[in-house]
Amino acid sequence: MRLPLAFRALATGVLLLPQARADWQFKSRPDLAPPKLNITIPATSDVETGYLFIAPFSGYPEGTHHGPAQAAPYIFTDTGDLVWSGFTYFSIWATNFQAARYKGKDILFSFEGSHNAAYGHGHGHTTFLDQNYETIKELRAGNHRLTDKHEFIIINEETALIQIYHPVPYDLSPYGGSPEQQWIVDARFQEIDIETGNVLFEWSSLEHVSPHEAYLPLNPGQAGSGYNSSDAWDYFHINSVDKDQDGNYLISARDVNAVYKINGKTRKITWQLSGKSSNFTMGDQVEFAFQHHARFISRSADGTKEIISLYDNSAHGTESGHGHEVHFYKFSRGKIIEVDTESWTAKLVQAFHPPDNLLSKSQGSTQVLPNGNVLVNWGSEGAITEFKSDGTPIFHFYMDSGFLGKAVENYRGFRYNWTGIPNEEPAIVAFQDKHTDTTSIYVSWNGDTETKTWRFYEVNKNGHRLFLGQAKRQSFETELQLPRTGVRTVQAEAVDAQGELLRVTSLVKPEVLVEKFKIKEAGRKKPSQKGNGIVPWLFFQGQKFLGRYDL
């Protein structure tokens, strides 16, 4: 009889630990356990400037060793260094984390609310933070609707586009429904005035698109079975909305495999790309399935040619594994597509193929960056790649895993320039190690992007300060090591690139260093045979008993 995997590892002298342990990364902030980035293609000099904005979460239940220990919005550098942990800044479950401009100022925003992994929906609101990471606004849908997690985008620093999951009673008998199946999702989106919350525009899928267009049938119920409002058949499933300069909208409807352009005045569909009723002759590899994140990119002077971007999942599934998966292609791709409303043809401008042939069953995004690069987030696969415009990958990483994004998911991923000036105080701690006769001082400032140097001081009981040294800030946490113990009280100053003082830490007394426990080896011992002839394996690390397994 074979031993379970963990015990087989112990028996051979190797203890299996989680692939990426996120705890105790920072001495000054032991409360933070951000995900780690497993970078498989280091960023080249061709990557766009800016930080990485992600909000990873686990596809496994909380409390397991899979996925990030603290699911939350995060800002990272290209080297995998943490800039800001948004853990506890947004409550419950947060996603679609981005930077934007509102009323002339830089802000952050994220959806926060409940998460229904079975059907890929969330219900909540969008919260704005300023550059000090303080909450300045919460925005909800109007007309007695509930904001869904999928879309929030700010238009012209004044209005916002949001998507709504709106269940309504409906006759589903033409689509195979029984008398008990009477609920369908009327997928909607709104444009809202951010300042007042007034609804400026609202569009309904049921008013314009028949449920016959659905690729996921009512039965067996991958998109809901229609027995109640929480189980409503999501035949359309809007997951992105954009707006052009003429006031027209672009929506991605995942469950009909189509992107639509909507007239902003008449609300009528101008054209449909892909799906059962496409208006275009589709060129080679243009067709897509269960796509996400469609965006207007550009158009010709006469308006007959438009360039859009999208994320082509080519697969369907949910975070919880609800329903069976559907695959249309062997891997997912980011795509740039040109549509021509004069010849009514659509052609592929560029496709962005994933390292390791990733196929994401849900989520995903494609961001065209200012320098022409393209950042593709692989959704349920927990990975991000930056490409040159010709499709060459120049940066790739997985989130909190040592292998192909195991159990880590990320709805959308972005790159933005950002300046953060936290209101909270920097964190500082000092440890004395009597074995090496050294004192180490650690300091960090969650969300700070401006500190270039940390200056360290010893402060006596009269308040006089003795300069101990300085250290260049190279990552989230900065360390200064002193070749002595006996330091009484320490303090640090944050200094920017111009030498200006930004903030002074509190005073702290050095603590005795406690080493992090590490298991270096493990073995097994076999006791005498029991009367029933069964011999159990007992596992020890040194003299410490680790467990037993009865054969």
PDB file of all heavy atoms in Angstrom, residues 333-362:
ATOM      1  N   ARG A 333      -6.313  33.784 -25.829  1.00  0.00           N
ATOM      2  CA  ARG A 333      -5.454  34.787 -26.460  1.00  0.00           C
ATOM      3  C   ARG A 333      -6.001  36.196 -26.241  1.00  0.00           C
ATOM      4  O   ARG A 333      -7.214  36.386 -26.142  1.00  0.00           O
ATOM      5  CB  ARG A 333      -5.356  34.547 -27.974  1.00  0.00           C
ATOM      6  CG  ARG A 333      -4.571  33.322 -28.374  1.00  0.00           C
ATOM      7  CD  ARG A 333      -4.715  33.018 -29.846  1.00  0.00           C
ATOM      8  NE  ARG A 333      -6.060  32.546 -30.162  1.00  0.00           N
ATOM      9  CZ  ARG A 333      -6.470  32.207 -31.386  1.00  0.00           C
ATOM     10  NH1 ARG A 333      -5.638  32.314 -32.409  1.00  0.00           N
ATOM     11  NH2 ARG A 333      -7.691  31.774 -31.574  1.00  0.00           N
ATOM     12  N   GLY A 334      -5.099  37.153 -26.165  1.00  0.00           N
ATOM     13  CA  GLY A 334      -5.503  38.541 -26.308  1.00  0.00           C
ATOM     14  C   GLY A 334      -5.587  38.837 -27.794  1.00  0.00           C
ATOM     15  O   GLY A 334      -4.797  38.307 -28.585  1.00  0.00           O
ATOM     16  N   LYS A 335      -6.542  39.690 -28.206  1.00  0.00           N
ATOM     17  CA  LYS A 335      -6.716  39.946 -29.642  1.00  0.00           C
ATOM     18  C   LYS A 335      -6.950  41.422 -29.928  1.00  0.00           C
ATOM     19  O   LYS A 335      -7.622  42.124 -29.156  1.00  0.00           O
ATOM     20  CB  LYS A 335      -7.899  39.145 -30.203  1.00  0.00           C
ATOM     21  CG  LYS A 335      -7.644  37.651 -30.333  1.00  0.00           C
ATOM     22  CD  LYS A 335      -8.829  36.936 -30.954  1.00  0.00           C
ATOM     23  CE  LYS A 335      -8.531  35.462 -31.195  1.00  0.00           C
ATOM     24  NZ  LYS A 335      -9.690  34.746 -31.771  1.00  0.00           N
ATOM     25  N   ILE A 336      -6.392  41.875 -31.036  1.00  0.00           N
ATOM     26  CA  ILE A 336      -6.695  43.179 -31.628  1.00  0.00           C
ATOM     27  C   ILE A 336      -7.383  42.897 -32.960  1.00  0.00           C
ATOM     28  O   ILE A 336      -6.838  42.179 -33.810  1.00  0.00           O
ATOM     29  CB  ILE A 336      -5.427  44.023 -31.871  1.00  0.00           C
ATOM     30  CG1 ILE A 336      -4.586  44.102 -30.594  1.00  0.00           C
ATOM     31  CG2 ILE A 336      -5.794  45.407 -32.376  1.00  0.00           C
ATOM     32  CD1 ILE A 336      -5.222  44.845 -29.467  1.00  0.00           C
ATOM     33  N   ILE A 337      -8.583  43.450 -33.138  1.00  0.00           N
ATOM     34  CA  ILE A 337      -9.414  43.131 -34.307  1.00  0.00           C
ATOM     35  C   ILE A 337      -9.844  44.414 -35.000  1.00  0.00           C
ATOM     36  O   ILE A 337     -10.204  45.402 -34.342  1.00  0.00           O
ATOM     37  CB  ILE A 337     -10.657  42.323 -33.878  1.00  0.00           C
ATOM     38  CG1 ILE A 337     -10.228  40.979 -33.256  1.00  0.00           C
ATOM     39  CG2 ILE A 337     -11.600  42.091 -35.048  1.00  0.00           C
ATOM     40  CD1 ILE A 337     -11.361  40.228 -32.597  1.00  0.00           C
ATOM     41  N   GLU A 338      -9.816  44.391 -36.335  1.00  0.00           N
ATOM     42  CA  GLU A 338     -10.339  45.507 -37.134  1.00  0.00           C
ATOM     43  C   GLU A 338     -11.678  45.108 -37.734  1.00  0.00           C
ATOM     44  O   GLU A 338     -11.802  44.046 -38.357  1.00  0.00           O
ATOM     45  CB  GLU A 338      -9.376  45.868 -38.259  1.00  0.00           C
ATOM     46  CG  GLU A 338      -9.877  47.016 -39.135  1.00  0.00           C
ATOM     47  CD  GLU A 338      -9.009  47.259 -40.353  1.00  0.00           C
ATOM     48  OE1 GLU A 338      -8.064  48.051 -40.243  1.00  0.00           O
ATOM     49  OE2 GLU A 338      -9.284  46.643 -41.413  1.00  0.00           O
ATOM     50  N   VAL A 339     -12.690  45.942 -37.535  1.00  0.00           N
ATOM     51  CA  VAL A 339     -13.992  45.727 -38.174  1.00  0.00           C
ATOM     52  C   VAL A 339     -14.209  46.809 -39.222  1.00  0.00           C
ATOM     53  O   VAL A 339     -13.928  47.984 -38.984  1.00  0.00           O
ATOM     54  CB  VAL A 339     -15.143  45.723 -37.144  1.00  0.00           C
ATOM     55  CG1 VAL A 339     -15.005  44.554 -36.191  1.00  0.00           C
ATOM     56  CG2 VAL A 339     -15.200  47.025 -36.361  1.00  0.00           C
ATOM     57  N   ASP A 340     -14.683  46.396 -40.386  1.00  0.00           N
ATOM     58  CA  ASP A 340     -14.893  47.303 -41.526  1.00  0.00           C
ATOM     59  C   ASP A 340     -16.375  47.303 -41.855  1.00  0.00           C
ATOM     60  O   ASP A 340     -16.919  46.292 -42.330  1.00  0.00           O
ATOM     61  CB  ASP A 340     -14.069  46.824 -42.720  1.00  0.00           C
ATOM     62  CG  ASP A 340     -14.083  47.812 -43.880  1.00  0.00           C
ATOM     63  OD1 ASP A 340     -15.079  48.542 -44.030  1.00  0.00           O
ATOM     64  OD2 ASP A 340     -13.100  47.836 -44.651  1.00  0.00           O
ATOM     65  N   THR A 341     -17.056  48.423 -41.588  1.00  0.00           N
ATOM     66  CA  THR A 341     -18.498  48.493 -41.837  1.00  0.00           C
ATOM     67  C   THR A 341     -18.829  48.930 -43.256  1.00  0.00           C
ATOM     68  O   THR A 341     -19.994  49.150 -43.591  1.00  0.00           O
ATOM     69  CB  THR A 341     -19.166  49.460 -40.840  1.00  0.00           C
ATOM     70  OG1 THR A 341     -18.499  50.727 -40.883  1.00  0.00           O
ATOM     71  CG2 THR A 341     -19.106  48.902 -39.431  1.00  0.00           C
ATOM     72  N   GLU A 342     -17.812  49.044 -44.116  1.00  0.00           N
ATOM     73  CA  GLU A 342     -18.046  49.294 -45.535  1.00  0.00           C
ATOM     74  C   GLU A 342     -18.083  47.967 -46.290  1.00  0.00           C
ATOM     75  O   GLU A 342     -19.004  47.714 -47.068  1.00  0.00           O
ATOM     76  CB  GLU A 342     -16.951  50.198 -46.109  1.00  0.00           C
ATOM     77  CG  GLU A 342     -17.255  50.733 -47.501  1.00  0.00           C
ATOM     78  CD  GLU A 342     -16.254  51.789 -47.919  1.00  0.00           C
ATOM     79  OE1 GLU A 342     -15.029  51.544 -47.814  1.00  0.00           O
ATOM     80  OE2 GLU A 342     -16.703  52.880 -48.346  1.00  0.00           O
ATOM     81  N   SER A 343     -17.115  47.108 -46.021  1.00  0.00           N
ATOM     82  CA  SER A 343     -17.093  45.773 -46.637  1.00  0.00           C
ATOM     83  C   SER A 343     -17.736  44.717 -45.741  1.00  0.00           C
ATOM     84  O   SER A 343     -17.933  43.584 -46.159  1.00  0.00           O
ATOM     85  CB  SER A 343     -15.650  45.363 -46.917  1.00  0.00           C
ATOM     86  OG  SER A 343     -14.914  45.249 -45.716  1.00  0.00           O
ATOM     87  N   TRP A 344     -18.034  45.071 -44.501  1.00  0.00           N
ATOM     88  CA  TRP A 344     -18.589  44.172 -43.486  1.00  0.00           C
ATOM     89  C   TRP A 344     -17.732  42.918 -43.322  1.00  0.00           C
ATOM     90  O   TRP A 344     -18.202  41.785 -43.371  1.00  0.00           O
ATOM     91  CB  TRP A 344     -20.045  43.833 -43.766  1.00  0.00           C
ATOM     92  CG  TRP A 344     -20.902  45.059 -43.568  1.00  0.00           C
ATOM     93  CD1 TRP A 344     -21.386  45.875 -44.542  1.00  0.00           C
ATOM     94  CD2 TRP A 344     -21.300  45.627 -42.319  1.00  0.00           C
ATOM     95  NE1 TRP A 344     -22.072  46.938 -43.984  1.00  0.00           N
ATOM     96  CE2 TRP A 344     -22.040  46.802 -42.613  1.00  0.00           C
ATOM     97  CE3 TRP A 344     -21.118  45.271 -40.975  1.00  0.00           C
ATOM     98  CZ2 TRP A 344     -22.588  47.610 -41.625  1.00  0.00           C
ATOM     99  CZ3 TRP A 344     -21.669  46.073 -39.982  1.00  0.00           C
ATOM    100  CH2 TRP A 344     -22.388  47.240 -40.313  1.00  0.00           C
ATOM    101  N   THR A 345     -16.460  43.195 -43.130  1.00  0.00           N
ATOM    102  CA  THR A 345     -15.499  42.132 -42.863  1.00  0.00           C
ATOM    103  C   THR A 345     -14.760  42.460 -41.563  1.00  0.00           C
ATOM    104  O   THR A 345     -14.651  43.624 -41.172  1.00  0.00           O
ATOM    105  CB  THR A 345     -14.469  41.979 -43.992  1.00  0.00           C
ATOM    106  OG1 THR A 345     -13.773  43.230 -44.176  1.00  0.00           O
ATOM    107  CG2 THR A 345     -15.146  41.570 -45.291  1.00  0.00           C
ATOM    108  N   ALA A 346     -14.249  41.441 -40.920  1.00  0.00           N
ATOM    109  CA  ALA A 346     -13.459  41.616 -39.700  1.00  0.00           C
ATOM    110  C   ALA A 346     -12.174  40.820 -39.856  1.00  0.00           C
ATOM    111  O   ALA A 346     -12.196  39.675 -40.317  1.00  0.00           O
ATOM    112  CB  ALA A 346     -14.240  41.134 -38.481  1.00  0.00           C
ATOM    113  N   LYS A 347     -11.057  41.424 -39.501  1.00  0.00           N
ATOM    114  CA  LYS A 347      -9.781  40.724 -39.627  1.00  0.00           C
ATOM    115  C   LYS A 347      -8.968  40.859 -38.344  1.00  0.00           C
ATOM    116  O   LYS A 347      -9.118  41.831 -37.586  1.00  0.00           O
ATOM    117  CB  LYS A 347      -8.984  41.251 -40.818  1.00  0.00           C
ATOM    118  CG  LYS A 347      -8.440  42.663 -40.657  1.00  0.00           C
ATOM    119  CD  LYS A 347      -7.592  43.058 -41.876  1.00  0.00           C
ATOM    120  CE  LYS A 347      -6.977  44.444 -41.701  1.00  0.00           C
ATOM    121  NZ  LYS A 347      -6.146  44.830 -42.877  1.00  0.00           N
ATOM    122  N   LEU A 348      -8.121  39.883 -38.120  1.00  0.00           N
ATOM    123  CA  LEU A 348      -7.254  39.878 -36.958  1.00  0.00           C
ATOM    124  C   LEU A 348      -6.034  40.743 -37.226  1.00  0.00           C
ATOM    125  O   LEU A 348      -5.286  40.499 -38.163  1.00  0.00           O
ATOM    126  CB  LEU A 348      -6.828  38.441 -36.626  1.00  0.00           C
ATOM    127  CG  LEU A 348      -6.023  38.245 -35.347  1.00  0.00           C
ATOM    128  CD1 LEU A 348      -6.889  38.516 -34.122  1.00  0.00           C
ATOM    129  CD2 LEU A 348      -5.454  36.824 -35.298  1.00  0.00           C
ATOM    130  N   VAL A 349      -5.837  41.757 -36.400  1.00  0.00           N
ATOM    131  CA  VAL A 349      -4.657  42.614 -36.518  1.00  0.00           C
ATOM    132  C   VAL A 349      -3.470  41.955 -35.827  1.00  0.00           C
ATOM    133  O   VAL A 349      -2.366  41.893 -36.371  1.00  0.00           O
ATOM    134  CB  VAL A 349      -4.925  44.003 -35.914  1.00  0.00           C
ATOM    135  CG1 VAL A 349      -3.670  44.866 -35.958  1.00  0.00           C
ATOM    136  CG2 VAL A 349      -6.070  44.691 -36.653  1.00  0.00           C
ATOM    137  N   GLN A 350      -3.690  41.463 -34.612  1.00  0.00           N
ATOM    138  CA  GLN A 350      -2.624  40.794 -33.859  1.00  0.00           C
ATOM    139  C   GLN A 350      -3.234  39.920 -32.781  1.00  0.00           C
ATOM    140  O   GLN A 350      -4.230  40.305 -32.144  1.00  0.00           O
ATOM    141  CB  GLN A 350      -1.690  41.818 -33.200  1.00  0.00           C
ATOM    142  CG  GLN A 350      -0.486  41.212 -32.502  1.00  0.00           C
ATOM    143  CD  GLN A 350       0.461  40.525 -33.474  1.00  0.00           C
ATOM    144  OE1 GLN A 350       0.925  41.131 -34.426  1.00  0.00           O
ATOM    145  NE2 GLN A 350       0.733  39.249 -33.241  1.00  0.00           N
ATOM    146  N   ALA A 351      -2.676  38.750 -32.584  1.00  0.00           N
ATOM    147  CA  ALA A 351      -3.056  37.865 -31.483  1.00  0.00           C
ATOM    148  C   ALA A 351      -1.867  37.711 -30.553  1.00  0.00           C
ATOM    149  O   ALA A 351      -0.712  37.740 -30.987  1.00  0.00           O
ATOM    150  CB  ALA A 351      -3.509  36.504 -32.003  1.00  0.00           C
ATOM    151  N   PHE A 352      -2.150  37.553 -29.277  1.00  0.00           N
ATOM    152  CA  PHE A 352      -1.104  37.447 -28.266  1.00  0.00           C
ATOM    153  C   PHE A 352      -1.237  36.093 -27.580  1.00  0.00           C
ATOM    154  O   PHE A 352      -2.179  35.855 -26.817  1.00  0.00           O
ATOM    155  CB  PHE A 352      -1.222  38.607 -27.279  1.00  0.00           C
ATOM    156  CG  PHE A 352      -1.123  39.947 -27.964  1.00  0.00           C
ATOM    157  CD1 PHE A 352      -2.267  40.603 -28.406  1.00  0.00           C
ATOM    158  CD2 PHE A 352       0.116  40.512 -28.226  1.00  0.00           C
ATOM    159  CE1 PHE A 352      -2.188  41.812 -29.070  1.00  0.00           C
ATOM    160  CE2 PHE A 352       0.208  41.732 -28.889  1.00  0.00           C
ATOM    161  CZ  PHE A 352      -0.934  42.378 -29.321  1.00  0.00           C
ATOM    162  N   HIS A 353      -0.304  35.203 -27.914  1.00  0.00           N
ATOM    163  CA  HIS A 353      -0.384  33.812 -27.494  1.00  0.00           C
ATOM    164  C   HIS A 353       0.261  33.624 -26.121  1.00  0.00           C
ATOM    165  O   HIS A 353       1.341  34.152 -25.853  1.00  0.00           O
ATOM    166  CB  HIS A 353       0.303  32.906 -28.521  1.00  0.00           C
ATOM    167  CG  HIS A 353      -0.316  32.978 -29.872  1.00  0.00           C
ATOM    168  ND1 HIS A 353      -1.160  32.008 -30.360  1.00  0.00           N
ATOM    169  CD2 HIS A 353      -0.229  33.906 -30.849  1.00  0.00           C
ATOM    170  CE1 HIS A 353      -1.567  32.334 -31.576  1.00  0.00           C
ATOM    171  NE2 HIS A 353      -1.007  33.487 -31.890  1.00  0.00           N
ATOM    172  N   PRO A 354      -0.362  32.829 -25.243  1.00  0.00           N
ATOM    173  CA  PRO A 354       0.127  32.712 -23.872  1.00  0.00           C
ATOM    174  C   PRO A 354       1.343  31.804 -23.744  1.00  0.00           C
ATOM    175  O   PRO A 354       1.411  30.754 -24.392  1.00  0.00           O
ATOM    176  CB  PRO A 354      -1.064  32.081 -23.139  1.00  0.00           C
ATOM    177  CG  PRO A 354      -1.738  31.271 -24.195  1.00  0.00           C
ATOM    178  CD  PRO A 354      -1.596  32.054 -25.465  1.00  0.00           C
ATOM    179  N   PRO A 355       2.309  32.180 -22.918  1.00  0.00           N
ATOM    180  CA  PRO A 355       3.338  31.217 -22.534  1.00  0.00           C
ATOM    181  C   PRO A 355       2.667  30.016 -21.867  1.00  0.00           C
ATOM    182  O   PRO A 355       1.644  30.161 -21.188  1.00  0.00           O
ATOM    183  CB  PRO A 355       4.187  31.995 -21.523  1.00  0.00           C
ATOM    184  CG  PRO A 355       3.948  33.431 -21.843  1.00  0.00           C
ATOM    185  CD  PRO A 355       2.518  33.496 -22.301  1.00  0.00           C
ATOM    186  N   ASP A 356       3.184  28.842 -22.100  1.00  0.00           N
ATOM    187  CA  ASP A 356       2.655  27.605 -21.511  1.00  0.00           C
ATOM    188  C   ASP A 356       1.247  27.260 -21.995  1.00  0.00           C
ATOM    189  O   ASP A 356       0.551  26.459 -21.361  1.00  0.00           O
ATOM    190  CB  ASP A 356       2.667  27.688 -19.976  1.00  0.00           C
ATOM    191  CG  ASP A 356       4.030  28.057 -19.427  1.00  0.00           C
ATOM    192  OD1 ASP A 356       5.021  27.454 -19.865  1.00  0.00           O
ATOM    193  OD2 ASP A 356       4.109  28.960 -18.571  1.00  0.00           O
ATOM    194  N   ASN A 357       0.808  27.871 -23.113  1.00  0.00           N
ATOM    195  CA  ASN A 357      -0.483  27.538 -23.724  1.00  0.00           C
ATOM    196  C   ASN A 357      -1.637  27.567 -22.715  1.00  0.00           C
ATOM    197  O   ASN A 357      -2.455  26.650 -22.640  1.00  0.00           O
ATOM    198  CB  ASN A 357      -0.417  26.173 -24.404  1.00  0.00           C
ATOM    199  CG  ASN A 357       0.480  26.188 -25.624  1.00  0.00           C
ATOM    200  OD1 ASN A 357       0.652  27.227 -26.266  1.00  0.00           O
ATOM    201  ND2 ASN A 357       1.068  25.049 -25.948  1.00  0.00           N
ATOM    202  N   LEU A 358      -1.742  28.644 -21.965  1.00  0.00           N
ATOM    203  CA  LEU A 358      -2.772  28.768 -20.945  1.00  0.00           C
ATOM    204  C   LEU A 358      -4.163  28.856 -21.560  1.00  0.00           C
ATOM    205  O   LEU A 358      -4.374  29.534 -22.559  1.00  0.00           O
ATOM    206  CB  LEU A 358      -2.509  30.005 -20.087  1.00  0.00           C
ATOM    207  CG  LEU A 358      -1.177  30.022 -19.337  1.00  0.00           C
ATOM    208  CD1 LEU A 358      -0.993  31.353 -18.622  1.00  0.00           C
ATOM    209  CD2 LEU A 358      -1.091  28.867 -18.358  1.00  0.00           C
ATOM    210  N   LEU A 359      -5.106  28.184 -20.931  1.00  0.00           N
ATOM    211  CA  LEU A 359      -6.508  28.226 -21.342  1.00  0.00           C
ATOM    212  C   LEU A 359      -7.326  28.596 -20.114  1.00  0.00           C
ATOM    213  O   LEU A 359      -7.428  27.807 -19.174  1.00  0.00           O
ATOM    214  CB  LEU A 359      -6.957  26.867 -21.886  1.00  0.00           C
ATOM    215  CG  LEU A 359      -8.410  26.783 -22.359  1.00  0.00           C
ATOM    216  CD1 LEU A 359      -8.603  27.596 -23.642  1.00  0.00           C
ATOM    217  CD2 LEU A 359      -8.821  25.334 -22.600  1.00  0.00           C
ATOM    218  N   SER A 360      -7.883  29.786 -20.090  1.00  0.00           N
ATOM    219  CA  SER A 360      -8.604  30.248 -18.898  1.00  0.00           C
ATOM    220  C   SER A 360     -10.103  30.041 -19.069  1.00  0.00           C
ATOM    221  O   SER A 360     -10.708  30.557 -19.999  1.00  0.00           O
ATOM    222  CB  SER A 360      -8.277  31.708 -18.600  1.00  0.00           C
ATOM    223  OG  SER A 360      -8.526  32.534 -19.701  1.00  0.00           O
ATOM    224  N   LYS A 361     -10.687  29.337 -18.138  1.00  0.00           N
ATOM    225  CA  LYS A 361     -12.113  29.009 -18.190  1.00  0.00           C
ATOM    226  C   LYS A 361     -12.985  30.203 -17.823  1.00  0.00           C
ATOM    227  O   LYS A 361     -14.191  30.209 -18.102  1.00  0.00           O
ATOM    228  CB  LYS A 361     -12.394  27.864 -17.227  1.00  0.00           C
ATOM    229  CG  LYS A 361     -12.101  28.219 -15.776  1.00  0.00           C
ATOM    230  CD  LYS A 361     -12.210  27.028 -14.856  1.00  0.00           C
ATOM    231  CE  LYS A 361     -11.892  27.436 -13.416  1.00  0.00           C
ATOM    232  NZ  LYS A 361     -11.927  26.290 -12.505  1.00  0.00           N
ATOM    233  N   SER A 362     -12.383  31.213 -17.170  1.00  0.00           N
ATOM    234  CA  SER A 362     -13.155  32.394 -16.786  1.00  0.00           C
ATOM    235  C   SER A 362     -12.215  33.587 -16.629  1.00  0.00           C
ATOM    236  O   SER A 362     -11.007  33.428 -16.541  1.00  0.00           O
ATOM    237  CB  SER A 362     -13.888  32.153 -15.454  1.00  0.00           C
ATOM    238  OG  SER A 362     -12.970  32.014 -14.388  1.00  0.00           O
TER     239      SER A 362
END
